[in-house]
Amino acid sequence: MRNYFIAGNWKMHKTVSESVALAKALVAQLAGCREKLMIAPAFTALAAVSEVVKGTNILLGAQNMGPEEQGAHTGEVSVLMLKDLGVKVVILGHSERRHTYGETDELINKKVRLALQHGLEVILCVGETLDERESGRLEAVCRTQVEQGLAGVSAGDLARVTIAYEPVWAIGTGKTATPEDADAVHAYIRKVMAERYGEAAAKAMCIQYGGSVKAENAAQLMQKANIDGALVGGASLKAETFVPIAAFR
Ligand code: PEP
């Protein structure tokens, strides 16, 4: 049976004490959960939340990182700093980074390779805007983001890569792709992966869906053959909305 990967992205929410309180609630309520679990608090709360999740079944994630190991990069946080705090997974290429902060596939790829080189797991986010979908460019956009995001990534490193398919128009909007729609895009992404890494690696690949996932739609989405987990934004901010997603089966 598949092991799903359920990840919470807390974005720019919560003070340190609020983050610790939520992390403690999740540790208590998800102790018996059989899925792979991750929470990504803001950078400022990583150290404190790291203490809470240490030795539990919840992995510590970061929402982004800089493209260099260290140096004169004002405002950036490096892979070494994340590792030092116990971060195991880093979310890269989130649509908010792409569209609000202008991150390119080239920059995202640099971060992906750096994170993998330092032993972190990566969640690479890809997904089309409404305009791209409506003008028939969905597949081309996803292909480019996957291929360029993973340029130079070896088959050996692939086990530490998760792809999150997140249609931009479904993020934080309450609109969700239908399970059938999402599954079809996941199948397409798997095909792109197979062309590059072979059928077996593509089949073993974890592809999460993200975009207004909540308790009400989590099971329907994850019942689909190609959907291996969820990257959750809004609904990850409270234990009462995140726990039922992680415990969807
Ligand atoms: C996200 O930001 O990755 C996300 C999927 O957000 P939401 O669940 O709020 O749509």
Side-chain angles (χ1 to χ4, degrees), residues 1-151:
M1 191 170 285
R2 278 196 283 185
N3 186 239
Y4 292 85
F5 184 12
I6 314 294
N9 172 11
W10 295 359
K11 306 194 184 184
M12 200 172 71
H13 293 287
K14 298 190 184 294
T15 60
V16 175
S17 61
E18 288 165 348
S19 301
V20 165
L22 176 54
K24 282 184 176 167
L26 296 177
V27 165
Q29 293 175 44
L30 290 171
C33 181
R34 64 207 276 195
E35 318 304 346
K36 177 175 173 178
L37 302 170
M38 184 211 83
I39 51 176
F43 287 134
T44 49
L46 281 173
V49 171
S50 182
E51 291 303 315
V52 179
V53 299
K54 198 178 280 174
T56 74
N57 60 341
I58 301 180
L59 296 168
L60 186 64
Q63 301 173 18
N64 187 24
M65 63 171 230
E68 309 289 343
E69 270 175 12
Q70 59 189 347
H73 299 283
T74 303
E76 292 290 347
V77 173
S78 96
V79 62
L80 303 176
M81 298 164 187
L82 297 182
K83 282 181 67 174
D84 189 39
L85 294 179
V87 167
K88 304 289 184 218
V89 187
V90 60
I91 300 170
L92 296 172
H94 190 280
S95 66
E96 287 150 17
R97 301 300 319 170
R98 292 177 188 270
H99 298 291
T100 313
Y101 298 100
E103 291 199 7
T104 61
D105 286 312
E106 191 185 7
L107 176 68
I108 294 160
N109 174 249
K110 197 170 176 193
K111 297 181 184 192
V112 167
R113 285 185 287 121
L114 187 64
L116 291 172
Q117 185 191 319
H118 283 275
L120 291 185
E121 282 190 41
V122 166
I123 297 178
L124 172 66
C125 303
V126 304
E128 82 291 356
T129 62
L130 192 57
D131 178 51
E132 287 163 344
R133 172 173 277 244
E134 287 177 343
S135 58
R137 285 178 288 152
L138 187 165
E139 291 191 349
V141 167
C142 289
R143 174 180 285 275
T144 300
Q145 292 180 354
V146 167
E147 287 182 344
Q148 296 191 6
L150 296 179

Side-chain angles (χ1 to χ4, degrees), residues 143-206:
R143 174 180 285 275
T144 300
Q145 292 180 354
V146 167
E147 287 182 344
Q148 296 191 6
L150 296 179
V153 172
S154 69
D157 279 343
L158 212 55
R160 283 184 291 119
V161 176
T162 292
I163 293 177
Y165 168 59
E166 301 204 301
V168 180
W169 49 270
I171 295 179
T173 57
K175 291 181 193 153
T176 322
T178 64
E180 291 69 29
D181 249 10
D183 191 52
V185 182
H186 282 227
Y188 178 73
I189 291 171
R190 225 179 271 289
K191 181 173 150 244
V192 171
M193 293 300 292
E195 288 168 17
R196 173 98 172 277
Y197 294 99
E199 288 290 340
K203 199 165 171 228
M205 180 90 213
C206 174

